[in-house]
Amino acid sequence: GCLEAGDQNQAALDQFQTALNLAPENRTYQGKLGELLYKIGLENSNINYLSEGITLMEQCHATGESSTGLRDSLAHAYLERATSTWVPDPEVPGQLLATSFDQVAAAEKELTRAKELLEPGNLALNARAQEMEQQLLQVKKKKYFGIRKYLKAPIVFGLLFLLFGASVQSLLSFLMAGLYFVANRKPGY
C-alpha cells in the first residue's frame, strides 16, 4: 500500500537523480525529477520537495522542452500555491479566506501563471482554475471578515446593561462591538 508507493517514489527519485547526474543538461530528466519531487512533496507535506520540484519544472519549461504532463503539473502547483497562505473560513467549512491584500495579489499572480499553462483538454485543471477565479471574486466582494455571532454578543449585552441601568458597562459593550467590527472589516483590497 502506502509503504510500497513510498518505496517506488524513492526508487524513481534515485533513478532520476542518477540520470540527471549523468546528463545534467537533459531538461526532460530535470522536468521529470521536478514532477516527482513535487508529487512526493504533496504526499508528505514536504515544503522543500514542493519548492525544489516547482523550481525544476519551471527551469525545464523555460527552455521550451516541457511536455503536456509537466505543464499540467506546474499549473497544478501554481493553483495549489495560490491559496496556500490563506486561512480556513470559520463560517463556511472547506472555504479559505485571504486576510491581506498581498494574499489576494499573490493568488491572482499564481492563477494567471497557471492559466498560461493550461491545456483546453484538461477539464479538471480548467475547472479548478475557474473555481479559483470565482473564489477570488467572492473574497474581493466580502465586506466583513469577522464571525457575525461574535459581533451580536456585545450588542445584546450592551442593550441588557442599558435596560438595567448599567450605563458604563453598556457603553463598554458597545465600544467592544465597534472595535470588533473595525478589526474584522474588509482588508484594503
Side-chain angles (χ1 to χ4, degrees):
C2 196
L3 186 58
E4 290 173 12
D7 290 342
Q8 288 175 349
N9 283 341
Q10 188 58 50
L13 185 60
D14 293 341
Q15 288 174 354
F16 277 123
Q17 286 175 329
T18 300
L20 200 53
N21 286 337
L22 294 173
E25 70 287 342
N26 189 316
R27 297 297 177 214
T28 302
Y29 293 161
Q30 183 182 37
K32 291 289 186 189
L33 178 60
E35 286 181 81
L36 183 60
L37 284 170
Y38 181 75
K39 177 184 172 194
I40 294 171
L42 276 179
E43 290 172 357
N44 299 317
S45 300
N46 185 324
I47 191 82
N48 294 326
Y49 275 16
L50 289 170
S51 179
E52 188 177 348
I54 290 171
T55 300
L56 288 172
M57 288 189 290
E58 286 174 335
Q59 289 171 353
C60 180
H61 179 67
T63 65
E65 297 183 31
S66 60
S67 66
T68 301
L70 182 126
R71 288 190 300 276
D72 285 349
S73 294
L74 194 52
H76 180 268
Y78 290 153
L79 290 174
E80 287 297 314
R81 197 165 63 178
T83 56
S84 64
T85 60
W86 291 21
V87 297
D89 186 337
E91 293 180 345
V92 183
Q95 283 282 58
L96 297 172
L97 290 176
T99 56
S100 72
F101 175 76
D102 291 340
Q103 289 176 326
V104 173
E108 287 177 327
K109 179 182 171 187
E110 295 294 346
L111 177 61
T112 300
R113 293 173 80 183
K115 287 171 65 175
E116 291 170 358
L117 297 169
L118 290 176
E119 300 287 332
N122 192 330
L123 300 178
L125 273 178
N126 280 297
R128 176 70 179 108
Q130 286 180 338
E131 179 183 303
M132 184 165 293
E133 275 183 304
Q134 292 303 315
Q135 190 175 13
L136 280 168
L137 287 173
Q138 287 175 344
V139 165
K140 287 180 177 181
K141 288 180 185 176
K142 194 161 186 166
K143 292 184 172 77
Y144 175 73
F145 280 161
I147 301 172
R148 294 206 182 279
K149 64 182 172 186
Y150 293 160
L151 181 61
K152 292 176 185 173
I155 292 172
V156 168
F157 280 108
L159 290 172
L160 288 173
F161 285 137
L162 194 59
L163 182 67
F164 292 113
S167 58
V168 173
Q169 288 86 353
S170 175
L171 180 64
L172 289 175
S173 292
F174 290 135
L175 182 63
M176 283 179 20
L179 289 174
Y180 183 78
F181 179 79
V182 168
N184 290 287
R185 73 184 187 280
K186 179 181 176 182
Y189 54 79

